Amino acid sequence: MNNILKKAYTEHNLSKSEIITLLNSDGKELYKTADKVRQEFVGDGVHLRGLIEFSNICKRECKYCGLRAPNKNADRYRLKPDEIIEYAKKGVELGYKTIVLQSGEDSFYTTEKLCNIISEIKKFDIALTLSIGEKTKEEYQAFKDAGADRYLLRIETTNKTLYQKMHPNMNYENRKQCLYNIKDSGLEVGSGSLVGLPEQTVEDLADDILFFKELDADMIGIGPFIPHPDTPLSGKLNKENFDFALKMMAIVRLLLPDINIPATTAMETINPMGRIIALNSGANVVMPNILDSEYKIKYEIYPNKICLNEHSGKCRNCIEGKIKSIGRFVSDTKGFHKRV
Ligand code: SAH
């Protein structure tokens, strides 16, 4: 182990320049160290979170995302509250201990509607995560009070100039404030970044990691940017994004050793072994989709998403097989962040 990795392994702290050195390394030793830290702090259990993408209707215009409001080619759908609850029930029957509700920023779902859905789903005795964008402090509190457990909101990038370019009519400071409001409400807070955005530098990635540490996040999801043809950022995929995303994820494991870190779907979209590689490099969570194909296909934040035609029961078995093949097991707990 080199000196920077030794320091990260013992102190769980690194300077920006040390992080940059690791990001520019080939990653081999880094992945090994992150896997060791993962094993020591969160063990061999992998938490499966059943994902329900309940609406692809979005008022935002994020430059990279296929669900952006100006994309006229997106075939929009919105599940009814009863359908969302039905899917959650199906997820529970498939053995999931956490359900994640994700959507575009769709104003149809008022706080009242969402709180009703939350309290219905919580009757199934599972953990519930929301990933539905920017809300007010009061709304996050209402979700928590209705029974929600966690909330995911990626900062996407901490480079303020780049953030403003990528997110027309949105505000970097507000997004940051949202993350602190989520935390203050008592919800577990998840964040993360996109890796490989145009003009994004290795320095930016290092700043993202330091921000996650400052936020003291409970969960961090890192995904490679995959260009969507119907967005202003259409174009060729940069395969390097995978390696940088993986290195970033591994460094996050070193600095925030006891948090939950997913092997993201976007990683597997770029690399057919992506999630297994991620699980061997610091990750301890996988988020399989439990929707039927018709909706999975339409929730196209980026193209060529994996397992679009797979039945949700099959997805569950497939990922369990992969997890067992690397000597790990599917956790039967709700998988809250346990501070060590
Ligand atoms: N509306 C919610 C959920 C967004 S979709 C919210 O704002 O939090 C979930 C994540 O998909 C985003 O946070 C973003 O990081 C990722 N994403 C969007 N477009 C992508 C693309 N083209 N390639 C890779 N990931 C993308």
Side-chain angles (χ1 to χ4, degrees), residues 9 24 26 32 35 48 57 68 114 116-117 128 139 146 164-166 185 197 222 231 261 279 288 302 334 340:
Y9 179 73
N24 285 325
D26 69 8
K32 264 195 232 159
D35 194 44
L48 297 185
I57 298 174
R68 65 200 306 271
L114 287 163
N116 282 332
I117 296 168
L128 183 61
E139 287 170 313
Q164 293 305 148
K165 272 194 202 168
M166 292 292 113
S185 74
L197 290 169
I222 306 288
T231 65
I261 300 182
L279 286 172
Y302 50 78
K334 290 178 183 151
V340 176

Side-chain angles (χ1 to χ4, degrees), residues 19-44:
I19 294 175
I20 291 171
T21 305
L22 289 182
L23 285 169
N24 285 325
S25 73
D26 69 8
K28 276 191 201 131
E29 283 300 306
L30 166 63
Y31 302 143
K32 264 195 232 159
T33 315
D35 194 44
K36 193 168 152 71
V37 170
R38 186 271 311 152
Q39 224 254 333
E40 288 170 10
F41 281 79
V42 295
D44 285 337

